[in-house]
């Protein structure tokens, strides 16, 4: 999600003690508060019903695939070694993909979706170690599918959907479109869920609750935290799906996946949790862990990983 516009996020963290000049002479300058960072705990590899995780999925909004590759993003991927790697905001037509990723032997099955009309806009990818039964692109509606936002892979026991949900934009210029997307995308997922349970991952461009961003009060009229967007996500969860991170860590604060590049927001942990693994409720017994890999650099988002028994 692009938030160069989000100076107010960080600005809310920049408040200084502005007492009178005489007070300043008698008081020590206020020390800046040390940032509260999220420490990703050790990975849990056993799920509620006692099974061991047998699949690892990683999702990362890379904010431009070519730049991310140059920043050594693939080195981190090789170390993390997920069974499936899902990428969002690739901003790259298939003809322009870097050889470093198209030739990766670790992932022989690679799938790409890009915007039909705008070069360097949107785009998602899915790289798999084992071949899916079937792969489809989009959600069956041209107004959405032309932007290259969704790839769905069918595996033996579940569907995996990766998505880059539309940003409502500066000044909420695309909020009406986003509301239409939310309705259509929820219908698409619910239809899939009738056939097989699913895992949805990606940049869903919403911080669902106040706990999911640093400065909720200042962002209620900004893209990603409007009542409409938050309600859209609530309605998705009410349709039989679960936010896996909040299922495991319901009270965890300061756990974010996006930080604007401006005003040192990442070092201050002035962030938003915009990236999710959302599961069909029937997959919850196999949920082992949902990780926020916030030390991985190379984008304004960090990667997230899911351990699951399927």
């Amino acid at each position: 999600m692009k938030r160069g516009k989000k100076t107010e996020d960080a600005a809310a963290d920049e408040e200084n003690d502005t007492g009178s000049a005489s007070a300043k002479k008698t008081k020590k300058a206020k020390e800046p508060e040390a940032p509260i960072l999220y420490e990703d705990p050790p990975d849990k590899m056993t799920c509620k019903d006692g099974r061991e995780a047998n699949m690892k999925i990683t999702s990362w909004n890379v904010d431009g695939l070519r730049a991310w590759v140059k920043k050594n993003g693939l080195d981190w991927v090789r170390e993390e070694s997920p069974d499936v790697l899902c990428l969002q905001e690739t901003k790259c037509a298939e003809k322009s993909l870097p050889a470093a990723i198209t030739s990766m032997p670790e992932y022989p099955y690679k799938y790409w979706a890009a915007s039909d009309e705008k070069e360097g806009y949107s785009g998602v990818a899915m790289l798999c170690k084992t071949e899916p039964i079937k792969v489809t692109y989009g959600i069956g509606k041209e107004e959405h599918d032309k932007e290259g936002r969704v790839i769905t892979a069918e595996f033996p026991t579940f569907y995996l959907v990766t998505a880059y949900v539309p940003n409502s934009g500066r000044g909420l210029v695309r909020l009406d479109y986003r509301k239409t997307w939310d309705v259509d995308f929820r219908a698409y997922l619910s239809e899939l869920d009738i056939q097989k349970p699913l895992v949805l991952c990606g940049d869903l461009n919403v911080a669902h609750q106040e706990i999911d961003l640093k400065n909720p009060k200042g962002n209620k009229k900004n893209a990603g935290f409007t009542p409409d967007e938050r309600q859209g996500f609530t309605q998705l969860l009410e349709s039989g799906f679960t936010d896996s991170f909040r299922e495991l860590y319901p009270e965890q604060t300061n756990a974010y996946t996006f930080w604007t590049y401006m005003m040192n927001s990442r070092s201050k942990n002035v962030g938003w949790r915009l990236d999710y693994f959302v599961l069909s409720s029937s997959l919850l017994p196999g949920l082992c862990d949902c990780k926020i890999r916030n030390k991985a650099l190379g984008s304004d988002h960090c990667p997230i990983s899911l351990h699951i028994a399927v």
Side-chain angles (χ1 to χ4, degrees):
M1 185 172 191
K2 291 288 82 37
R3 290 190 188 273
K5 50 202 174 273
K6 283 283 182 250
T7 55
E8 59 267 38
D9 293 6
D13 237 35
E14 295 292 307
E15 296 172 358
N16 295 314
D17 186 8
T18 54
S20 66
S22 59
K24 287 179 182 176
K25 290 178 183 176
T26 58
K27 290 183 180 180
K28 287 185 177 180
K30 186 177 180 181
E31 290 291 325
E33 291 183 17
I36 302 172
L37 305 179
Y38 172 65
E39 292 292 334
D40 194 29
D43 293 22
K44 300 174 192 168
M45 302 303 293
T46 305
C47 58
K48 290 179 181 178
D49 64 9
R51 286 178 293 161
E52 292 292 314
N54 61 1
M55 191 158 200
K56 181 182 189 179
I57 304 167
T58 293
S59 177
W60 198 349
N61 176 321
V62 294
D63 186 31
L65 182 71
R66 286 167 287 191
W68 173 77
V69 167
K70 289 177 182 177
K71 294 174 186 175
N72 302 314
L74 293 178
D75 290 347
W76 184 91
V77 170
R78 289 189 174 96
E79 186 176 340
E80 183 79 356
S81 191
D83 297 293
V84 184
L85 172 67
C86 297
L87 305 175
Q88 304 87 40
E89 207 172 354
T90 54
K91 300 180 180 178
C92 188
E94 194 163 348
K95 64 184 180 183
S96 304
L97 291 167
I101 194 167
T102 58
S103 62
M104 277 187 87
E106 297 93 335
Y107 297 96
Y109 307 100
K110 306 176 184 72
Y111 309 94
W112 316 93
S115 172
D116 293 340
E117 298 176 350
K118 298 180 186 177
E119 178 78 28
Y121 175 75
S122 188
V124 292
M126 187 181 292
L127 286 71
C128 307
K129 289 185 175 180
T130 58
E131 187 173 13
I133 297 168
K134 182 182 179 182
V135 174
T136 57
Y137 301 86
I139 64 173
K141 287 187 175 286
E142 174 59 23
E143 66 175 310
H144 305 313
D145 295 348
K146 64 186 180 182
E147 294 191 356
R149 294 186 176 275
V150 177
I151 297 175
T152 301
E154 182 182 358
F155 290 96
T157 58
F158 72 104
Y159 288 105
L160 175 60
V161 182
T162 190
Y164 175 44
V165 169
N167 186 327
S168 294
R170 186 194 299 262
L172 304 179
V173 294
R174 292 197 93 192
L175 180 58
D176 286 344
Y177 171 68
R178 167 63 179 271
K179 287 156 67 175
T180 300
W181 161 280
D182 283 349
V183 171
D184 293 342
F185 190 44
R186 184 169 71 250
Y188 171 74
L189 296 173
S190 294
E191 195 171 305
L192 282 182
D193 192 44
I194 293 170
Q195 303 168 52
K196 280 182 184 179
L198 65 86
V199 174
L200 164 65
C201 69
D203 176 0
L204 305 188
N205 257 326
V206 62
H208 185 216
Q209 305 290 1
E210 292 195 356
I211 196 175
D212 295 315
L213 72 167
K214 177 68 173 180
N215 295 314
K217 289 182 181 178
N219 283 293
K220 290 183 178 178
K221 296 181 180 180
N222 290 322
F225 198 59
T226 63
D228 288 325
E229 292 163 309
R230 296 170 66 192
Q231 179 62 19
F233 192 76
T234 295
Q235 289 173 336
L236 176 62
L237 299 183
E238 289 173 348
S239 300
F241 301 100
T242 299
D243 173 355
S244 61
F245 183 82
R246 283 290 167 228
E247 176 72 12
L248 295 167
Y249 306 101
E251 306 298 329
Q252 179 63 58
T253 58
N254 303 298
Y256 310 127
T257 65
F258 165 84
W259 307 261
T260 175
Y261 285 125
M262 302 178 72
M263 301 181 76
N264 298 316
S265 292
R266 189 158 187 172
S267 64
K268 298 172 185 176
N269 200 28
V270 179
W272 301 56
R273 190 170 71 94
L274 302 177
D275 303 85
Y276 296 79
F277 284 102
V278 173
L279 310 183
S280 294
S281 296
S282 61
L283 291 178
L284 285 181
L287 172 61
C288 299
D289 211 352
C290 183
K291 313 305 298 172
I292 294 178
R293 306 298 201 196
N294 58 353
K295 291 183 171 60
L297 305 177
S299 170
D300 51 2
H301 292 248
C302 74
I304 57 175
S305 288
L306 178 75
H307 293 295
I308 192 168
V310 290

